[in-house]
Amino acid sequence: EVQLLESGGGLVQPGGSLRLSCAASGFTFSSFAMTWVRQAPGTGLEWVSTISGSGDSTYYADSVKGRFTISRDNSKNTLYLQMNSLRTEDTAVYSCAKGSVGESPSYGMDVWGQGTTVTVSS
Amino acid sequence: DIQMTQSPSSVSASVGDRVTITCRASQGISSWLAWYQQKPGKAPKLLIYTASSLQSGVPSRFSGSGSGADFTLTITSLQPEDFATYYCQQTNSFPLTFGGGTKVEIK
């Protein structure tokens, strides 16, 4: 069964850091682009970042560029999101998602994790 | 960045109704559009990709159409399990932006 399981969320003060992980199973992890999407309480979906299967190419939303870093360890089938300089507006449920067709992000995301909650508050 | 505008933001409908949701891109995106369904507390589910291709396992009462900047998601004969929030997402270029969502509620 194809599965994604996020971890690493929690409560952090403004300016702090957190690293999220997404453990993948049931598919050839290195063959697919992976994405982080977040959803603040009571709001819609916001794309955060995407990384290619090899990890060579990364893309970020303007709202997180320079503060967040996406990476992956294909030997461990794990996706990461390093979040630095956190702001209250980064409070959200963060979910990882798998690209539905190989390296291309153009065909949508067909498998999603249940998400991990990040709360930025003093 | 490409902005995605969905309408309506909410719609009330009854079981058996036909529901249409529209999504407009701020610039042409060819057919690079996906639709997702999200139920409360659950992960989004991919329904449609490349504007009109039905994801495997999705019931045929869901259909997508459009190209360029204007797109439509249609649900024919709404079922109880279809009450949810629907999002479009442009997959043409980064940043991959979502629409604001359309909540389909029970009338």
Side-chain angles (χ1 to χ4, degrees), chain B residues 14-17 61-62 75-83 86:
Chain B
S14 301
V15 172
D17 283 354
R61 63 180 179 272
F62 291 92
I75 312 170
T76 57
S77 191
L78 198 67
Q79 297 301 298
E81 60 267 30
D82 300 336
F83 292 96
Y86 294 84

Side-chain angles (χ1 to χ4, degrees), chain B residues 27-64:
Chain B
Q27 64 189 74
I29 57 171
S30 186
S31 295
W32 299 116
L33 186 96
W35 289 98
Y36 300 88
Q37 174 194 68
Q38 188 181 33
K39 297 180 180 179
K42 300 294 186 182
K45 175 184 176 182
L46 178 64
L47 300 176
I48 302 281
Y49 60 94
T50 58
S52 60
S53 300
L54 195 66
Q55 175 69 1
S56 176
V58 174
S60 58
R61 63 180 179 272
F62 291 92
S63 65

Side-chain angles (χ1 to χ4, degrees), chain B residues 64-88:
Chain B
S65 64
S67 66
D70 292 305
F71 302 88
T72 299
L73 174 71
T74 300
I75 312 170
T76 57
S77 191
L78 198 67
Q79 297 301 298
E81 60 267 30
D82 300 336
F83 292 96
T85 300
Y86 294 84
Y87 295 92
C88 62

Side-chain angles (χ1 to χ4, degrees), chain A residues 40-102:
Chain A
T43 70
L45 302 173
E46 181 185 11
W47 172 81
V48 173
S49 183
T50 294
I51 187 169
S52 63
S54 64
D56 290 345
S57 298
T58 58
Y59 310 88
Y60 297 94
D62 287 345
S63 57
V64 307
K65 199 173 294 182
R67 300 187 299 122
F68 290 11
T69 302
I70 191 171
S71 63
R72 64 193 297 160
D73 185 337
N74 287 342
S75 68
K76 295 182 178 178
N77 289 348
T78 303
L79 174 73
Y80 302 100
L81 186 67
Q82 177 66 44
M83 305 186 295
N84 298 331
S85 303
L86 282 162
R87 306 167 180 167
T88 55
E89 56 264 37
D90 295 319
T91 294
V93 173
Y94 286 73
S95 299
C96 58
K98 166 188 165 290
S100 65
V101 176

Side-chain angles (χ1 to χ4, degrees), chain B residues 9-25:
Chain B
S9 57
S10 66
V11 57
S12 295
S14 301
V15 172
D17 283 354
R18 178 187 181 97
V19 172
T20 299
I21 299 167
T22 63
C23 181
R24 174 165 287 178

Side-chain angles (χ1 to χ4, degrees), chain A residues 35-39 45-48 93-95 109 112, chain B residues 98:
Chain A
T35 293
W36 286 99
V37 174
R38 68 184 182 184
Q39 189 166 29
L45 302 173
E46 181 185 11
W47 172 81
V48 173
V93 173
Y94 286 73
S95 299
M109 296 169 283
W112 295 63
Chain B
F98 287 94

